Amino acid sequence: LEIFNKNSTELKTKLKQLSQAGKVVALVPTMGALHSGHLTLVSEAKKCSDYVVVSIFVNPKQFERSQDFDSYPDRLENDLKLLKELQVDLVYTPNSEEFYKQPFFCEVNLPALTTKLCGATRPGHFPGVALVITKLFNQIKPDLAFFGLKDYQQYVFIKQLAKDLDLTPEVRGVDTVREGSGLALSSRNLNLNEEQRKKIAPELHKALSSIATAIKGGGDHNEIVSKAKQDLLNSGFNKVDYLEVLQDDLSDYNGDYRHARIFVAAYIDQVRLIDNIAIC
Ligand code: PAF
């Protein structure tokens, strides 16, 4: 496992040699604190490429509150151990002064895709993600890049970003990894107590599945969704940020449920959980 902590000449030479040798390079961008969801992305990347690069960079531009940034877990040592076990080829861990050399002016955004769902309550978050991903794609120039479909909105706008700006990689989504209860894996699950995790949180995936069944059964989607929202609140969620049906490309639902997904973000106390599933 080779570790590079800046976009150095050595890193550029290494990547150029791989490209000249016709090797397929895959990138898995992360912010560290790796869990099995990330490791699934790495395994998928390994299957499809000759050389896997994992970036670990806690991107300050995607945090709305500096407090969240400061409290983001730093588990570099453990992350490196896990990546070594998975036989990842290269880890890129730039620091933020290097990555965003001052003065820095650039912004990247795709408002049509970044202002709905999670973007509605966190307006600076997705532009921050779009910026870091543009820079990482330009620096590493991967052939493939892997993202979890749990963050489906992020996956969609990054795919569009790569297309719009002619960035090198083909962007691929990897299915959400779930616990036996249906709960999607997330580092935020660690902030739930035993009862919340076992009894309340799994209701999120159950709600999505029952909405999917009801829509396929021909019910009115607005009525189905508002009933499911009330059920979530009754089952112990204290706030539902959104529960929405959209087409796969994030446009408004047009009744074609074969190409539509259901999206949810809801709170158990202070813990915000998100999930989404395809209807078919
Ligand atoms: O999903 C994440 O972990 C981050 O948003 C990403 C894609 C690594 C960008 O910082």
Side-chain angles (χ1 to χ4, degrees):
L1 177 75
E2 284 195 86
I3 302 171
F4 286 84
N5 57 19
K6 56 168 92 147
N7 187 22
S8 58
T9 315
E10 288 78 14
L11 176 62
K12 286 178 196 157
T13 309
K14 167 121 231 155
L15 295 166
K16 202 174 207 167
Q17 281 166 352
L18 286 164
S19 155
Q20 280 165 351
K23 301 286 181 202
V24 175
V25 175
L27 173 66
V28 180
T30 81
M31 298 207 297
L34 304 179
H35 54 66
S36 11
H38 296 110
L39 303 184
T40 309
L41 297 182
V42 172
S43 307
E44 205 53 40
K46 277 187 73 81
K47 270 191 236 156
C48 313
S49 69
D50 303 309
Y51 194 89
V52 176
V53 178
V54 173
S55 61
I56 299 181
F57 177 55
V58 184
N59 172 33
K61 303 264 185 198
Q62 71 187 76
F63 287 83
E64 307 258 37
R65 303 184 315 165
S66 58
Q67 199 192 347
D68 293 342
F69 174 70
D70 293 339
S71 64
Y72 200 84
D74 176 0
R75 308 230 180 95
L76 188 59
E77 213 173 299
N78 190 53
D79 292 344
L80 293 176
K81 192 168 150 265
L82 291 171
L83 296 175
K84 210 175 211 167
E85 279 165 18
L86 282 180
Q87 297 179 323
V88 162
D89 299 287
L90 192 154
V91 177
Y92 179 44
T93 57
N95 70 39
S96 122
E97 289 73 34
E98 265 284 320
F99 196 81
Y100 295 114
K101 282 203 190 72
Q102 293 304 320
F104 190 95
F105 298 113
C106 192
E107 290 181 12
V108 182
N109 200 5
L110 305 83
L113 299 176
T114 59
T115 50
K116 48 183 81 175
L117 301 175
C118 287
T121 44
R122 304 170 76 194
H125 172 65
F126 285 144
V129 174
L131 178 61
V132 75
I133 292 299
T134 306
K135 281 177 67 70
L136 286 171
F137 283 1
N138 278 329
Q139 292 178 353
I140 309 293
K141 299 186 179 57
D143 300 291
L144 300 170
F146 290 83
F147 295 88
L149 290 181
K150 176 166 167 289
D151 296 303
Y152 186 86
Q153 184 176 14
Q154 173 174 275
Y155 158 74
V156 169
F157 79 73
I158 290 175
K159 209 173 169 60
Q160 187 67 38
L161 175 74
K163 180 186 153 289
D164 286 358
L165 297 183
D166 307 307
L167 304 175
T168 55
E170 178 191 322
V171 174
R172 295 200 183 163
V174 177
D175 283 340
T176 304
V177 183
R178 299 182 182 281
E179 295 185 354
S181 67
L183 176 64
L185 292 197
S186 161
S187 33
R188 294 185 183 198
N189 297 349
L190 296 172
N191 301 328
L192 299 170
N193 66 33
E194 178 81 1
E195 198 203 331
Q196 292 170 329
R197 184 164 177 159
K198 293 265 150 68
K199 291 225 169 90
I200 306 175
E203 293 300 321
L204 211 54
H205 183 249
K206 277 194 207 143
L208 296 179
S209 305
S210 65
I211 295 171
T213 308
I215 288 180
K216 280 189 280 192
D220 175 83
H221 89 279
N222 285 320
E223 275 173 27
I224 294 166
V225 165
S226 69
K227 180 180 174 301
K229 194 168 176 175
Q230 195 50 54
D231 289 347
L232 281 178
L233 293 169
N234 294 342
S235 69
F237 284 86
N238 48 302
K239 186 177 161 198
V240 178
D241 251 357
Y242 59 77
L243 179 57
E244 278 185 53
V245 183
L246 295 175
Q247 296 305 133
D248 288 344
D249 61 2
L250 304 182
S251 59
D252 292 344
Y253 182 54
N254 63 18
D256 178 8
Y257 62 74
R258 287 159 310 147
H259 301 106
R261 297 181 85 86
I262 313 157
F263 299 86
V264 67
Y267 283 86
I268 303 177
D269 287 340
Q270 304 296 315
V271 186
R272 186 175 185 272
L273 300 177
I274 64 167
D275 203 351
N276 73 89
I277 61 167
I279 294 182
C280 285

